[in-house]
Amino acid sequence: MNSDRLFQLRQQLQAASYAYYVLDAPIMEDSVYDQLYRELQTLEAQHPELITPDSPTQRVGERPASQFTSVTHKIPLYSLENAFNVQELRQWQERWQRLTPDVKQAEYICELKIDGSAIALTYENGLLVRGVTRGDGATGEEITQNIRTIRSIPLKLNLENPPAQVEVRGEAFLPLNEFNRINQEREKKGESLFANPRNAAAGTLRQLDSKIVSQRRLQFFAYTLHLPDREEQIHSQWQALDYLKKIGFLVNPNCQKCPTLEEVIEYFEDWEGARQRLSYMTDGVVVKLNDYSHQQKLGFTQKFPRWAIALKYAAEEAPTVVKDILVNVGRTGAVTPLAVMEPVQLAGTTVQRATLHNQDRIQELDIRLGDTVIIRKAGEIIPEVVRVLTELRPAQSIPFSMPSHCPECNSLLVRPTGEAVTRCINSSCPAILRGSLIHWASRDALDIRGLGEKIVILLLNNHLLQSLDGLYNLEWEQLIDLEKMGEKSAKNLVNAIQKSKQQPWSRVLYGLGIRYVGAVNAKILAKSFPSVDLLSQATIPTLSGVYGIGEEIAQSVFDWFRNDSNQVLIEGLKVVGLQLANLKVDHEVTPISSILSGKTFVLTGTLPTLSRNQAQDLIEEAGGKVTSSVSAKTDYLLAGEAAGSKLEKAQKLNITILNEVEFLAMLN
């Protein structure tokens, strides 16, 4: 009897929530909802064994999380290319039409670009099991406990026969009235205010206490669907949006199907003014090719899908004065001019520098020292100069020209045919080596703690480094005389450098800084080519045949490995012991993809040969899961030296404890 009543209450409350939060058409008075909800709470307290994950009472976790777990996205979350005017939108159409000569006309889907945080939701057999932030596109943070508090996200799909797995992506955002309410409360408490709803949404999603998240009343619009075992049923983005609505998601009601680009432009222009009346922030329109077969033909670049683009509305602008124009040489040798300006507030931040892109842009702007300029944030992120107010130009001003020689090594600068960028092509240029070292040590690459820009500059200025592989030959005695170094700091830095040898092949590949190869594509390439030797021998057709790797990336990778100095670098990295191949297991044994299926691991202490990241990758590739804290649900504790309190807790709970040798034996 109790189980029947529980089922009935859950069905009624779920239907009421769907009608209120998704359909915006309440079917139940608030007082009635509250009364039924309290009855459900009481019955579940009396019969905790009958509580189900999809119960409305389970939206808020009882305890704050201790931290978030890093999760690898099964399908990368690509960002979108931006267009800032209609002309750039037309150019995008021309590009995709050139790539698909058999498709001259296609239908578009227009959706308002919501100013929030992208998240990926996974449902198994109809139940929400995981919510993950976008992160860097390849990996994000699991925030399931917080996701469950968002009322417009169903805990259970509205399907009688749900598929084994569904992945839904969309945007979590903060409605404007909630944003204002939260800032008013923070102001009363003397707390700092959120700069904008996007920052507030992102900060809310990363709260460790889901009760705080629940109080902030986030919303969610779904816009992407991955349905592995029913893909033949969905042929277009429009069908996907319709399916998302049917299974219980809130889809932006202002999306529109547009048969021509002219109708897309009309949609964009109509919403430029109308968006001010919306209850949430939108900064543009996302335009997608509707037909999935067209999307599949076009594929992806390093960062973007070729079949979609974000057409952005004009960003906030502000005037300021140019004090200086500097030239910066990056790790690829690209020479970029920068305007140094009087500080100005723009979109919630203080801006003092703005990119001038290249020589062509400087000539187009005719920018000079002392000019009053209008700046904006391109994509609301990167400051750029929009135009010069020549009527305010000081007398006797002199046009600025790009230097003919590299400001770092004095080599003659070159502008390759067909490119807008001027480059230094001296591979020994200190600026190129400096940028390469900073990139190599960065968090997504080799993650060498303590090797920041200042230390890199110190090492180069003292002639202690001439190449990336030379980093691994440094001795701490060479460093103790450097400014602010000392014996302890020197030893810590050398230890961090040596420890980075344990980083996996995908991170090393990203750290090489091959043009167009970002962190996401490095992981894709490392999976398809599990060693540097296999990758170096790959042909352009083989490379471009990998899902997510376009011809531009393939050509860049191919050319990089044909360069003699890069081959010398690879040999040098082999000599010093970098991981230039994926870790292997015996392929004649049980497939690694399922051997640890359903098993939960906790890692603690320092392992003899594996880094934490390598161990976690092996566990996840074998179907297991890694969590941060020991509990009764933990199956194994993988323990190294200095294991600490996690080991003690595992022993008390009689959890199986493995050392590295036992762990690797389990995989085999």
Side-chain angles (χ1 to χ4, degrees), residues 310-347:
L311 180 56
K312 304 295 286 290
Y313 291 115
E316 180 185 340
E317 298 180 346
T320 186
V321 176
V322 178
K323 297 167 62 180
D324 199 0
I325 298 177
L326 305 177
V327 174
N328 179 58
V329 183
R331 63 180 173 85
T332 64
V335 179
T336 306
L338 296 168
V340 180
M341 306 161 299
E342 293 286 352
V344 63
Q345 284 291 312
L346 189 64

Short mmCIF file of all heavy atoms in Angstrom, two decimals, residues 310-347:
data_model
loop_
_atom_site.label_atom_id
_atom_site.label_comp_id
_atom_site.label_asym_id
_atom_site.label_seq_id
_atom_site.Cartn_x
_atom_site.Cartn_y
_atom_site.Cartn_z
N ALA A 310 28.07 31.10 -34.24
CA ALA A 310 27.36 32.01 -33.34
C ALA A 310 27.46 33.41 -33.92
O ALA A 310 28.56 33.97 -34.05
CB ALA A 310 27.98 31.96 -31.95
N LEU A 311 26.33 33.97 -34.28
CA LEU A 311 26.27 35.34 -34.80
C LEU A 311 26.01 36.25 -33.61
O LEU A 311 24.93 36.24 -33.02
CB LEU A 311 25.16 35.46 -35.85
CG LEU A 311 24.96 36.82 -36.50
CD1 LEU A 311 26.24 37.32 -37.15
CD2 LEU A 311 23.84 36.74 -37.53
N LYS A 312 27.03 37.05 -33.23
CA LYS A 312 26.99 37.80 -31.98
C LYS A 312 26.46 39.22 -32.20
O LYS A 312 26.73 39.86 -33.22
CB LYS A 312 28.40 37.88 -31.36
CG LYS A 312 29.06 36.53 -31.13
CD LYS A 312 28.33 35.71 -30.09
CE LYS A 312 28.54 36.22 -28.69
NZ LYS A 312 29.89 36.00 -28.18
N TYR A 313 25.75 39.70 -31.18
CA TYR A 313 25.33 41.10 -31.19
C TYR A 313 26.50 41.98 -30.77
O TYR A 313 27.46 41.50 -30.13
CB TYR A 313 24.15 41.30 -30.23
CG TYR A 313 22.89 40.64 -30.72
CD1 TYR A 313 22.31 39.58 -30.01
CD2 TYR A 313 22.28 41.04 -31.91
CE1 TYR A 313 21.15 38.95 -30.47
CE2 TYR A 313 21.13 40.42 -32.37
CZ TYR A 313 20.57 39.38 -31.65
OH TYR A 313 19.45 38.76 -32.12
N ALA A 314 26.42 43.24 -31.15
CA ALA A 314 27.52 44.16 -30.84
C ALA A 314 27.79 44.20 -29.34
O ALA A 314 26.87 44.28 -28.53
CB ALA A 314 27.17 45.56 -31.34
N ALA A 315 29.06 44.10 -29.00
CA ALA A 315 29.45 44.09 -27.59
C ALA A 315 29.48 45.51 -27.03
O ALA A 315 29.45 46.49 -27.77
CB ALA A 315 30.82 43.44 -27.43
N GLU A 316 29.57 45.60 -25.72
CA GLU A 316 29.70 46.89 -25.06
C GLU A 316 30.99 47.57 -25.52
O GLU A 316 32.02 46.91 -25.69
CB GLU A 316 29.74 46.67 -23.55
CG GLU A 316 29.89 47.96 -22.74
CD GLU A 316 30.05 47.68 -21.26
OE1 GLU A 316 29.69 46.58 -20.82
OE2 GLU A 316 30.55 48.58 -20.56
N GLU A 317 30.94 48.85 -25.76
CA GLU A 317 32.11 49.59 -26.25
C GLU A 317 32.46 50.72 -25.28
O GLU A 317 31.62 51.18 -24.52
CB GLU A 317 31.84 50.14 -27.64
CG GLU A 317 31.58 49.07 -28.69
CD GLU A 317 31.33 49.65 -30.06
OE1 GLU A 317 31.11 50.88 -30.16
OE2 GLU A 317 31.35 48.89 -31.05
N ALA A 318 33.74 51.15 -25.34
CA ALA A 318 34.19 52.24 -24.47
C ALA A 318 35.35 52.97 -25.14
O ALA A 318 36.17 52.36 -25.84
CB ALA A 318 34.63 51.70 -23.12
N PRO A 319 35.46 54.30 -24.95
CA PRO A 319 36.58 55.06 -25.51
C PRO A 319 37.77 55.08 -24.54
O PRO A 319 37.60 55.05 -23.33
CB PRO A 319 35.99 56.46 -25.66
CG PRO A 319 34.99 56.56 -24.55
CD PRO A 319 34.45 55.17 -24.33
N THR A 320 38.97 55.15 -25.09
CA THR A 320 40.19 55.30 -24.29
C THR A 320 41.30 55.85 -25.19
O THR A 320 41.09 56.05 -26.39
CB THR A 320 40.60 53.97 -23.64
OG1 THR A 320 41.71 54.21 -22.77
CG2 THR A 320 40.98 52.93 -24.67
N VAL A 321 42.48 56.09 -24.61
CA VAL A 321 43.58 56.72 -25.36
C VAL A 321 44.76 55.75 -25.45
O VAL A 321 45.14 55.10 -24.46
CB VAL A 321 44.03 58.03 -24.67
CG1 VAL A 321 45.24 58.63 -25.38
CG2 VAL A 321 42.87 59.03 -24.63
N VAL A 322 45.36 55.65 -26.63
CA VAL A 322 46.51 54.77 -26.87
C VAL A 322 47.78 55.43 -26.33
O VAL A 322 48.15 56.52 -26.76
CB VAL A 322 46.67 54.46 -28.37
CG1 VAL A 322 47.90 53.59 -28.61
CG2 VAL A 322 45.42 53.79 -28.91
N LYS A 323 48.45 54.76 -25.39
CA LYS A 323 49.69 55.28 -24.81
C LYS A 323 50.92 54.71 -25.51
O LYS A 323 51.97 55.34 -25.59
CB LYS A 323 49.75 54.93 -23.32
CG LYS A 323 48.63 55.58 -22.51
CD LYS A 323 48.53 54.98 -21.12
CE LYS A 323 49.79 55.20 -20.31
NZ LYS A 323 49.67 54.61 -18.95
N ASP A 324 50.81 53.46 -26.01
CA ASP A 324 51.96 52.81 -26.64
C ASP A 324 51.47 51.68 -27.53
O ASP A 324 50.33 51.20 -27.38
CB ASP A 324 52.91 52.26 -25.57
CG ASP A 324 54.32 51.99 -26.11
OD1 ASP A 324 54.55 52.23 -27.32
OD2 ASP A 324 55.17 51.55 -25.33
N ILE A 325 52.30 51.26 -28.48
CA ILE A 325 52.01 50.08 -29.29
C ILE A 325 53.22 49.16 -29.21
O ILE A 325 54.33 49.53 -29.60
CB ILE A 325 51.71 50.45 -30.76
CG1 ILE A 325 50.45 51.34 -30.83
CG2 ILE A 325 51.50 49.18 -31.60
CD1 ILE A 325 50.12 51.82 -32.23
N LEU A 326 53.00 47.99 -28.65
CA LEU A 326 54.08 47.01 -28.48
C LEU A 326 53.92 45.88 -29.48
O LEU A 326 52.84 45.68 -30.06
CB LEU A 326 54.03 46.43 -27.05
CG LEU A 326 54.07 47.43 -25.89
CD1 LEU A 326 53.95 46.68 -24.57
CD2 LEU A 326 55.36 48.25 -25.93
N VAL A 327 55.01 45.13 -29.67
CA VAL A 327 54.97 43.97 -30.56
C VAL A 327 55.38 42.75 -29.75
O VAL A 327 56.44 42.73 -29.12
CB VAL A 327 55.91 44.16 -31.77
CG1 VAL A 327 55.98 42.88 -32.59
CG2 VAL A 327 55.43 45.31 -32.64
N ASN A 328 54.51 41.72 -29.76
CA ASN A 328 54.76 40.51 -28.99
C ASN A 328 55.04 39.34 -29.94
O ASN A 328 54.35 39.16 -30.94
CB ASN A 328 53.52 40.19 -28.14
CG ASN A 328 53.69 38.92 -27.35
OD1 ASN A 328 54.61 38.80 -26.56
ND2 ASN A 328 52.80 37.97 -27.56
N VAL A 329 56.06 38.55 -29.62
CA VAL A 329 56.40 37.37 -30.42
C VAL A 329 55.97 36.13 -29.64
O VAL A 329 56.42 35.90 -28.52
CB VAL A 329 57.91 37.30 -30.72
CG1 VAL A 329 58.23 36.10 -31.62
CG2 VAL A 329 58.38 38.59 -31.39
N GLY A 330 55.08 35.34 -30.23
CA GLY A 330 54.56 34.16 -29.56
C GLY A 330 55.38 32.91 -29.82
O GLY A 330 56.37 32.93 -30.57
N ARG A 331 54.95 31.79 -29.26
CA ARG A 331 55.72 30.55 -29.36
C ARG A 331 55.73 29.97 -30.77
O ARG A 331 56.59 29.15 -31.09
CB ARG A 331 55.17 29.52 -28.37
CG ARG A 331 53.77 29.08 -28.62
CD ARG A 331 53.30 28.05 -27.59
NE ARG A 331 51.89 27.74 -27.73
CZ ARG A 331 51.41 26.85 -28.58
NH1 ARG A 331 52.23 26.19 -29.37
NH2 ARG A 331 50.11 26.62 -28.65
N THR A 332 54.76 30.36 -31.63
CA THR A 332 54.78 29.89 -33.01
C THR A 332 55.54 30.86 -33.92
O THR A 332 55.61 30.64 -35.12
CB THR A 332 53.34 29.74 -33.55
OG1 THR A 332 52.71 31.03 -33.58
CG2 THR A 332 52.53 28.80 -32.69
N GLY A 333 56.11 31.93 -33.32
CA GLY A 333 56.80 32.94 -34.10
C GLY A 333 55.90 34.04 -34.60
O GLY A 333 56.37 35.00 -35.23
N ALA A 334 54.59 33.92 -34.35
CA ALA A 334 53.65 34.95 -34.80
C ALA A 334 53.92 36.26 -34.07
O ALA A 334 54.07 36.29 -32.85
CB ALA A 334 52.22 34.50 -34.54
N VAL A 335 53.98 37.34 -34.84
CA VAL A 335 54.27 38.67 -34.29
C VAL A 335 52.95 39.43 -34.20
O VAL A 335 52.31 39.70 -35.22
CB VAL A 335 55.28 39.43 -35.17
CG1 VAL A 335 55.55 40.81 -34.61
CG2 VAL A 335 56.58 38.64 -35.29
N THR A 336 52.53 39.75 -32.98
CA THR A 336 51.23 40.38 -32.76
C THR A 336 51.40 41.76 -32.14
O THR A 336 52.00 41.89 -31.07
CB THR A 336 50.38 39.52 -31.82
OG1 THR A 336 50.29 38.20 -32.33
CG2 THR A 336 48.98 40.11 -31.67
N PRO A 337 50.88 42.80 -32.79
CA PRO A 337 50.93 44.14 -32.19
C PRO A 337 49.86 44.30 -31.13
O PRO A 337 48.74 43.78 -31.27
CB PRO A 337 50.67 45.06 -33.39
CG PRO A 337 49.90 44.22 -34.35
CD PRO A 337 50.30 42.80 -34.14
N LEU A 338 50.18 45.01 -30.05
CA LEU A 338 49.26 45.25 -28.95
C LEU A 338 49.19 46.73 -28.63
O LEU A 338 50.22 47.41 -28.57
CB LEU A 338 49.71 44.50 -27.69
CG LEU A 338 49.75 42.98 -27.73
CD1 LEU A 338 50.50 42.46 -26.51
CD2 LEU A 338 48.34 42.41 -27.76
N ALA A 339 47.99 47.23 -28.44
CA ALA A 339 47.81 48.62 -28.03
C ALA A 339 47.77 48.68 -26.50
O ALA A 339 47.02 47.94 -25.87
CB ALA A 339 46.52 49.19 -28.60
N VAL A 340 48.61 49.55 -25.92
CA VAL A 340 48.60 49.79 -24.48
C VAL A 340 47.84 51.09 -24.26
O VAL A 340 48.19 52.13 -24.84
CB VAL A 340 50.02 49.90 -23.91
CG1 VAL A 340 49.98 50.14 -22.41
CG2 VAL A 340 50.81 48.64 -24.22
N MET A 341 46.80 51.05 -23.43
CA MET A 341 45.87 52.18 -23.34
C MET A 341 45.66 52.63 -21.90
O MET A 341 46.04 51.94 -20.96
CB MET A 341 44.52 51.76 -23.95
CG MET A 341 44.63 51.23 -25.36
SD MET A 341 43.17 50.26 -25.85
CE MET A 341 43.19 48.93 -24.67
N GLU A 342 45.05 53.79 -21.77
CA GLU A 342 44.59 54.23 -20.46
C GLU A 342 43.56 53.23 -19.96
O GLU A 342 42.68 52.81 -20.71
CB GLU A 342 43.94 55.62 -20.55
CG GLU A 342 44.90 56.74 -20.92
CD GLU A 342 45.81 57.13 -19.75
OE1 GLU A 342 45.59 56.62 -18.63
OE2 GLU A 342 46.75 57.91 -19.98
N PRO A 343 43.65 52.77 -18.69
CA PRO A 343 42.71 51.76 -18.19
C PRO A 343 41.26 52.23 -18.31
O PRO A 343 40.95 53.39 -18.07
CB PRO A 343 43.11 51.60 -16.72
CG PRO A 343 44.52 52.10 -16.64
CD PRO A 343 44.63 53.18 -17.68
N VAL A 344 40.38 51.30 -18.68
CA VAL A 344 38.97 51.62 -18.84
C VAL A 344 38.13 50.41 -18.42
O VAL A 344 38.56 49.26 -18.59
CB VAL A 344 38.66 52.02 -20.31
CG1 VAL A 344 38.92 50.87 -21.27
CG2 VAL A 344 37.24 52.53 -20.47
N GLN A 345 36.94 50.64 -17.86
CA GLN A 345 36.04 49.57 -17.46
C GLN A 345 35.23 49.10 -18.67
O GLN A 345 34.64 49.91 -19.38
CB GLN A 345 35.08 50.04 -16.37
CG GLN A 345 35.71 50.15 -14.99
CD GLN A 345 36.06 48.79 -14.41
OE1 GLN A 345 35.24 47.87 -14.43
NE2 GLN A 345 37.27 48.65 -13.90
N LEU A 346 35.22 47.78 -18.89
CA LEU A 346 34.51 47.24 -20.05
C LEU A 346 33.94 45.88 -19.68
O LEU A 346 34.68 44.95 -19.32
CB LEU A 346 35.46 47.10 -21.24
CG LEU A 346 34.85 46.76 -22.59
CD1 LEU A 346 33.93 47.88 -23.07
CD2 LEU A 346 35.94 46.52 -23.62
N ALA A 347 32.63 45.74 -19.75
CA ALA A 347 31.94 44.47 -19.46
C ALA A 347 32.37 43.88 -18.13
O ALA A 347 32.63 42.69 -18.00
CB ALA A 347 32.18 43.46 -20.59
#
